[in-house]
Amino acid sequence: MTASAARPRRDAFLDRRKVLQRALALPIALSFHEHASAGGQLEEPLADSVRSALSSAIANSAPPVPHFSSTEARLAYLRWLSAMSDRLYPRKKDFTERTEFLQTIWYESKRAGLEPSLVLGLVQVESAFRKYAVSSVGARGYMQVMPFWTRVIGDGDAGKLFHMQTNLRFGCVILRHYLDRERGDLFMTLGRYNGSRGKPQYPNAVLGAQKKWIFAA
């Protein structure tokens, strides 16, 4: 066989090889996009009230049960829960899991003096609502909490950050702590939470995601 006759076969082989390489690379690319955002909180001294709030979360094992001062307040919560459940359904199909998650989000955000829509937007950006998400720097769970927090206030068992209420309690308390440190500046607070203080990409992403979760009663 002449060189000129062999060239088309060689070219066809190389083309098939490139197609195969691209096909094999696709799952890798997809898995890369499944990685969680890095929750780059920095270790720092904590006020006693913050330390106490985080410590109590480790001891809790069940979703919190909200209590209401009036029937109207309870009905407002139920309307919120129904609306958020519909919006979250594409990401969490199981009714019980979805309800317990939203119930905990509502409870922990209110407890920390935060808007539930902000916390939901942050969870969407940080972990895409994946309970067992782990970032490249080791941040864990829904709100991508750094493992050192369990050492600062608990027994150092980072596995506890995969527990729903613990993770959401930690995330909300830490976010509140940063909000107080930044004197109410939400833009700087979000940057501090993500370890990108002063840069616009992360705060803009969270504030953009928050819009999906705002509820008009």
Side-chain angles (χ1 to χ4, degrees), residues 25-161:
L26 182 59
I28 297 175
L30 290 175
S31 65
F32 175 80
H33 288 294
E34 284 295 305
H35 288 173
S37 299
Q41 304 100 14
L42 300 178
E43 188 168 349
E44 59 184 56
L46 297 175
D48 289 342
S49 59
V50 176
R51 186 182 298 274
S52 176
L54 295 179
S55 297
S56 64
I58 291 181
N60 295 336
S61 59
V65 178
H67 298 280
F68 304 94
S69 59
S70 67
T71 301
E72 181 53 39
R74 177 172 177 77
L75 290 175
Y77 163 75
L78 292 175
R79 288 192 293 270
W80 173 88
L81 183 62
S82 176
M84 295 304 105
S85 182
D86 289 343
R87 298 178 198 181
L88 189 60
Y89 176 78
R91 297 175 183 268
K92 285 188 176 295
K93 303 291 187 183
D94 182 80
F95 175 79
T96 300
E97 179 187 3
R98 190 168 68 253
T99 301
E100 290 183 349
F101 172 79
L102 287 170
Q103 178 177 308
T104 307
I105 282 278
W106 188 91
Y107 181 92
E108 294 298 343
S109 61
K110 294 290 186 180
R111 186 180 186 277
L114 302 168
E115 288 294 327
S117 60
L118 175 65
V119 177
L120 283 163
L122 188 146
V123 172
Q124 178 179 322
V125 171
E126 285 284 352
S127 66
F129 296 97
R130 290 175 293 127
K131 181 177 181 178
Y132 297 105
V134 180
S135 79
S136 60
V137 297
R140 302 186 178 208
Y142 287 122
M143 295 187 75
Q144 289 294 278
V145 178
M146 292 293 285
F148 72 77
W149 290 108
T150 60
R151 186 183 71 253
V152 170
I153 52 81
D155 58 7
D157 181 4
K160 291 178 179 177
L161 293 175

Side-chain angles (χ1 to χ4, degrees), residues 150-209:
T150 60
R151 186 183 71 253
V152 170
I153 52 81
D155 58 7
D157 181 4
K160 291 178 179 177
L161 293 175
F162 290 128
H163 177 257
M164 178 180 64
Q165 187 181 3
T166 299
N167 188 275
L168 297 177
R169 169 73 61 85
F170 271 52
C172 288
V173 170
I174 292 165
L175 186 60
R176 179 75 246 179
H177 170 65
Y178 289 151
L179 188 61
D180 292 341
R181 288 284 305 275
E182 295 292 348
R183 299 182 180 181
D185 187 326
L186 185 55
F187 180 88
M188 300 301 286
T189 296
L190 291 171
R192 184 186 284 271
Y193 187 93
N194 183 251
S196 58
R197 187 176 183 273
K199 298 179 180 179
Q201 292 84 355
Y202 180 79
N204 288 345
V206 173
L207 295 174

